[in-house]
């Protein structure tokens, strides 16, 4: 399969709750990028997971993310000229821009199937191919799309046309289809391979190439009548192919593979892109090329592939811990001894010299200068100068240390594998082993008071001490799931979180624990409460949960990524950072909320809005008894109100929207009883 990760379906809530978590590392994104195209030497676009669209106007040196229009994955982007472009993706998503990518409009129609590839032969006529043999066709620049019978149920991963009439689509099980009548009918060709084919490209009307699983490359020299299997020299899957002329071409795929041929595919040589991530999309203009892929990878060559440079900034090393001393100064730690520091709230991160290659699973600072990092093989590092330098301190154990907590400047605790518990009373210079009374792995430690502390670990382990760690008792958690995190807001009230969406709460100092309804089956890696009733839980596949009622209810927030999140740190209830897999660092300044969250919702839907998409005017109707007082506001998805009005005793409200530019808007309908929000598409 070409698609990696998980699919997420948009709920009504996400229409007006787009991610308020912003990428800080890596930059410009850590999401998978699946497609890239350029309209000239300077201006280019990338499309990827979670509705990611990036634009560059300087040949790729800098990229800016477009305002989100969808949370669906985008797998292909194509521009017909400098202004007009399309991107397609999961669940039948089709986006359009008419202003060079400044704004994008959701014009999805005709299918709910995933769309993997889009290609236009002119400003008006275009095609999209996708799952279960889906082929869509438009002849009016995307206003309307019709489904065309492909004759196959195979997933179609790529579509390409050599002219107005003739086109090809390739897919699973070696499928190759051809049309010679502007996509009206398609017939199957024999590819000579049973491997999935993920990309097809024709440098001229007769010569074409398709690439796929197992290093498959097939070539035709007669417009698809016959195909020959070429020797690629690799067994790794190839997801992209591009030719700059009849002889010179490139292919890319798994493990950072980049291949080049200068003899029409007879021989292929391996180019070194310096990446091991899989590469999915490719674009070339002469000797200038860009390849994109996993974890926000963007590689560029200016000499035909002899050398490649990364346009992505920052690390993609897994980050296991993040800690902010205040809103501006923070640290993150992860694999291979990685320690990062920011002094501007995360806008920029610098790599610090840790002096170790061991993974670091926790980092914390007790004041602006004094900090600790702990991790694999019993590693304990200490800094006295704000992270500029780190000293290796003997822990007395070779077990991994997963968590640490300091109750004051000199007294601290560490927990780790095999029941490891350590304590220091001299600011980390010396550490003594504590009697945990268990051999289970211990993943998190928290002290709500100087002598009262809790530890959570494997198979539902929860330990408690009331004498500064001199002795520990095992508490009944009621679960056998691994518990990865513990946080207490007082000596009586606390939370633990772990596998399978587990969140437990106690209000009696751990004597009893009550399961909370997290609403997710995903593992929760970290839980923290910056205020007594306000807490966050983060975990696998980018899950972020929030509660404002002490855990009674948890709301899923849109993180904007599928990367797992392992740690969170909040300088106040609304300002926070999370860190996770592939170098992920995200930041929120408003508690992670989107527009209108927290306002009472009407028991709807009560209102209808049409036409939608719209031009000129819209009509809002009440499907039940008209409210005495309706306040209507139309907002951009970034929260700017652009139209407002108040209406009394109206069953139908007509609004002039001629002033609105094409794009996605949110229509907020407020009565005395609550609000209802509708998505509005302006063409």
């Amino acid at each position: 399969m070409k698609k990696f990760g998980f699919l997420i379906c948009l709920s009504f809530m996400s229409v007006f709750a787009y991610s308020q978590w912003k990428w800080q590392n890596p930059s410009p994104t850590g999401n998978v990028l699946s497609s890239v195209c350029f309209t000239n030497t300077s201006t280019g676009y990338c499309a990827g997971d979670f509705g990611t669209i990036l634009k560059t106007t300087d040949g790729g040196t800098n990229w800016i993310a477009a305002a989100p229009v969808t949370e669906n994955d985008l797998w292909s982007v194509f521009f017909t000229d400098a202004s007009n472009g399309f991107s397609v993706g999961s669940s039948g998503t089709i986006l359009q821009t008419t202003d060079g990518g400044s704004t994008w409009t959701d014009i999805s129609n005709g299918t709910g199937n995933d769309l993997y590839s889009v290609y236009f032969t002119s400003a008006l006529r275009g095609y999209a191919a996708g799952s279960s043999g889906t082929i869509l066709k438009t002849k009016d620049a995307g206003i309307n799309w019709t489904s065309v019978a492909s004759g196959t149920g195979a997933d179609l991963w790529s579509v390409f046309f050599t002219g107005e009439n003739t086109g090809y689509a390739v897919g699973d099980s070696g499928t190759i289809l051809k049309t010679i009548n502007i996509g009206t009918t398609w017939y199957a060709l024999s590819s000579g391979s049973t491997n999935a084919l993920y990309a097809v490209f024709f440098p001229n009307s007769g010569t074409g190439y398709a690439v796929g699983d197992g290093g498959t490359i097939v070539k035709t020299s007669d417009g698809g009548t016959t195909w020959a299997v070429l020797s690629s020299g690799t067994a790794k899957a190839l997801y992209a192919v591009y030719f700059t002329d009849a002889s010179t071409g490139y292919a890319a795929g798994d493990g950072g593979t980049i291949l080049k041929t200068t003899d029409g595919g007879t021989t292929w040589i391996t180019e070194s892109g310096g990446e091991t991530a899989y590469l999915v999309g490719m674009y070339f203009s002469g000797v200038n090329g860009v390849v994109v892929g996993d974890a926000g990878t963007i590689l560029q060559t200016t000499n035909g592939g002899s050398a490649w440079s990364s346009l992505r900034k920052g690390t993609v090393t897994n980050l296991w811990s993040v800690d902010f001393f205040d809103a501006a100064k923070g640290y993150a730690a992860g694999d291979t001894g990685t320690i990062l520091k920011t002094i501007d709230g995360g806008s920029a991160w610098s790599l610090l010299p840790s002096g170790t290659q061991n993974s670091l699973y926790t980092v914390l600072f007790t004041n602006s200068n004094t900090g600790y990092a702990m991790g694999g093989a019993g590693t304990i590092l200490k800094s006295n100068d704000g992270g500029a330098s780190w000293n290796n301190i003997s822990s007395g154990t070779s077990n991994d240390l997963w968590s640490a907590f300091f109750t004051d400047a000199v007294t601290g605790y560490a927990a780790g594998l095999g029941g490891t518990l350590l304590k220091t009373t001299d600011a980390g210079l010396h550490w003594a082993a504590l009697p945990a009374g268990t051999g289970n792995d211990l993943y998190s430690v928290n002290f709500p008071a100087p002598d009262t502390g809790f530890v959570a670990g494997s198979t539902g382990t929860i330990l408690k001490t009331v004498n500064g760690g001199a002795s520990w008792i095992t508490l009944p958690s009621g679960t056998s799931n691994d518990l990865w995190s513990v946080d207490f807001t007082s000596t009586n009230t606390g939370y633990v979180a772990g596998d399978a969406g587990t969140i437990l709460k106690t209000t009696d100092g751990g004597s009893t624990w009550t399961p909370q309804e997290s609403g997710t089956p995903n593992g929760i890696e970290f839980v923290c409460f910056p205020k007594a009733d306000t807490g966050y839980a983060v975990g696998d596949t980018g899950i972020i949960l929030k509660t404002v009622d002490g855990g009674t209810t948890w709301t899923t927030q849109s993180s904007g990524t599928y990367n797992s999140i392992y740690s969170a740190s909040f300088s106040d209830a609304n300002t926070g950072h999370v860190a996770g897999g592939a170098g992920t660092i995200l930041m929120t300044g408003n508690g992670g909320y989107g527009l209108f969250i927290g306002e009472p919702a009407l028991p709807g839907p009560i209102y209808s809005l049409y036409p939608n998409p719209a031009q000129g005017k819209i009509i809002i109707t009440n499907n039940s008894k008209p409210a005495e007082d309706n306040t209507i506001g139309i907002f951009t998805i970034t929260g700017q109100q652009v139209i407002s009005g108040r209406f009394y005793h109206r069953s139908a409200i007509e609004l002039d929207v001629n002033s609105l530019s094409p794009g996605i808007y949110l229509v907020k309908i407020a009565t005395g009883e609550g609000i209802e929000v509708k998505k509005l598409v302006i063409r």
Side-chain angles (χ1 to χ4, degrees), residues 1-4 34 75-76 88 114-118 128-134 154-160 168-175 195-200 211-213 238-239 280:
M1 295 293 291
K2 184 180 182 182
K3 176 61 196 155
F4 302 85
S34 297
W75 291 320
S76 182
V88 301
D114 297 335
L115 299 175
Y116 302 127
S117 181
V118 61
S131 61
S132 304
T134 298
D155 290 344
L156 299 174
W157 295 102
S158 180
V159 61
F160 189 98
Y168 302 82
V170 301
D172 285 351
S173 303
T175 298
N195 288 336
L197 299 174
Y198 296 128
V200 60
V211 300
D213 273 345
L238 300 173
Y239 302 123
V280 192

Side-chain angles (χ1 to χ4, degrees), residues 501 516-521 545 554 556:
Q516 308 294 294
E517 181 56 55
S518 69
T520 179
L545 309 176
W554 292 84
T556 300

Side-chain angles (χ1 to χ4, degrees), residues 564-600:
S564 291
I565 300 173
Y566 302 126
S567 180
S569 179
F570 280 77
S571 56
D572 58 50
N574 292 318
T575 306
H577 294 75
V578 298
T584 298
I585 302 177
L586 309 176
M587 182 268 183
T588 183
N590 67 352
Y593 280 150
L595 298 175
F596 319 133
I597 299 294
E599 298 187 51

